[in-house]
Amino acid sequence: MIPLSVLDLVPVREGGSLTEAYAASVSLAQAAEQHGYKRFWVAEHHAMEGIAGAAASVVLAHIGNATSSIRIGSGGIMLPNHNPFVIAEQFGTLDALFPGRIDLGLGRAPGADQRFGQALRKNLGQAAEYFPNDVVELRALLTGDIDLPITATPGLGAAVDMWMLGSSLFGAQLAAKLGLPYAFASHFAPDHLDEALSIYRRDFQPSAALDRPYAMAAMTVIAADSDDEAEWIASSQLQAFVRLRSGTPGKLPPPIENYRDSLPAPAKAMLAHIGQASAIGSPQKVKDTIEAFIKRTDADEIIVAGSTYDPEHRTRSLALTMNALAA
């Protein structure tokens, strides 16, 4: 069985608070550690009242203090929003606090709309063009492989594992060129998955960090005792996704019965499309779906996402999923 990991958006549910969201993420990370998941990643999103992971490095420090062995990291830091030096300091600090446990996943998308760029006083489009150079600079700040005029302290010498994230072909090409492990966001953008993995493996150039390609693919995974229960639990995330795509995002809503059946045809088609990389159902159904996805992608690792209105449903999902795949 290949390793399983967890991607957490730190969801804020309707009627809930930020404090509750962070507490739920701690419980989820502890459950992931208990059940043998390899890593626990937090995603950076901004200006979204239903997602509380904007300050990813701060959230990771909170998670690190509540766990002892699971790797923790960003899935990812959206580097155009930042400068490489500050990220080197932040993740150098995390490595000093939690030695040998830190992953730094980097993405090129801003994680918000242009209003966020105005708030940052940045041209995010231009910053995205600088992304490859910024990745190289950030790696140099951590490893010293390029002589730079300034030293990040903390940062230089930190044993941080850098990852390239992607939902298109660009990230695959850059990960291959730099010899980095690669994670594809197939849980919400499955269209280019197969081609991206093919390009990454074909063009991979070994580096000091990695001697062969290592690819991770993301899936939405929600396991419950029955298919019907899992579909009901998953309706919270499905509602949130439909609202996001229709321009009305908000906090994570409670589940409702027969949600898919209530939707117009275009919304049903959209959910079916992104469902190419999802496993929602009983433990056996989840096991069969994940195994088929692994066979299709030949992934070295799977990272599971999926927000639930009741946090206990997701911690139980992690247990059911791992037990099913280990059987």
Side-chain angles (χ1 to χ4, degrees), residues 3-324:
L4 296 182
S5 294
V6 178
L7 174 64
D8 184 26
L9 299 187
V10 197
V12 184
R13 62 181 184 169
E14 290 181 1
S17 67
L18 289 168
T19 299
E20 291 171 348
Y22 296 128
S25 287
V26 164
S27 296
L28 187 66
Q30 291 171 331
E33 183 172 79
Q34 175 187 350
H35 294 295
Y37 287 79
K38 185 170 184 178
R39 55 187 104 240
F40 188 92
W41 282 6
V42 172
E44 175 190 343
H45 292 82
H46 296 278
M48 300 182 70
E49 64 173 337
I51 298 178
S57 60
V58 179
V59 178
L60 290 172
H62 183 52
I63 298 296
N65 276 319
T67 54
S68 60
S69 59
I70 193 169
R71 295 192 67 88
I72 56 176
S74 59
I77 290 292
M78 301 298 109
L79 195 54
N81 300 341
H82 310 280
N83 67 71
F85 191 84
V86 169
I87 297 303
E89 289 181 325
Q90 291 177 1
F91 279 76
T93 300
L94 287 168
D95 176 69
L97 292 170
F98 313 107
R101 295 177 57 195
I102 303 302
D103 296 330
L104 173 53
L106 299 170
R108 186 175 59 138
D113 60 27
Q114 285 304 314
R115 293 172 299 172
F116 178 60
Q118 294 169 3
L120 288 180
R121 310 295 193 268
K122 292 190 73 171
N123 182 330
L124 292 179
Q126 185 181 60
E129 294 178 6
Y130 297 152
F131 178 71
N133 291 334
D134 284 349
V135 172
V136 171
E137 181 180 341
L138 176 52
R139 181 165 67 175
L141 286 163
L142 294 171
T143 66
D145 63 344
I146 299 174
D147 188 21
L148 298 174
I150 189 170
T151 299
T153 305
L156 182 63
V160 173
D161 282 359
M162 286 182 63
W163 285 71
M164 185 59 55
L165 312 184
S167 58
S168 66
L169 305 184
F170 179 87
Q173 294 164 342
L174 186 57
K177 183 176 181 179
L178 298 180
L180 296 174
Y182 178 55
F184 192 89
S186 35
H187 61 305
F188 73 85
D191 288 349
H192 300 292
L193 169 63
D194 300 302
E195 187 178 3
L197 294 179
S198 177
I199 289 172
Y200 170 64
R201 291 167 176 144
R202 182 195 70 199
D203 297 342
F204 181 83
Q205 300 177 25
S207 68
L210 195 64
D211 61 359
R212 65 173 185 84
Y214 191 94
M216 177 162 65
M219 298 184 71
T220 295
V221 177
I222 295 177
D225 290 331
S226 69
D227 291 349
D228 288 343
E229 182 186 9
E231 181 68 19
W232 173 72
I233 291 169
S235 69
S236 293
Q237 173 158 310
L238 299 181
Q239 291 175 72
F241 194 84
V242 170
R243 292 178 184 180
L244 176 64
R245 287 294 176 93
S246 57
T248 57
K251 293 185 177 181
L252 188 70
I256 58 177
E257 295 283 355
N258 302 316
Y259 174 65
R260 289 183 202 258
D261 294 340
S262 71
L263 294 172
K268 287 181 182 178
M270 177 183 65
L271 291 180
H273 180 70
I274 64 168
Q276 297 175 66
S278 69
I280 298 171
S282 67
Q284 186 62 51
K285 181 177 180 180
V286 165
K287 172 185 172 72
D288 292 344
T289 305
I290 292 177
E291 288 180 344
F293 187 75
I294 293 170
K295 184 177 181 180
R296 167 189 163 185
T297 61
D298 197 25
D300 298 288
E301 188 171 336
I302 296 293
I303 189 164
V304 303
S307 300
T308 65
Y309 185 77
D310 183 342
E312 292 186 4
H313 285 152
R314 191 167 184 212
T315 56
R316 177 162 170 73
S317 176
L318 291 187
L320 291 173
T321 299
M322 183 63 80
N323 290 339

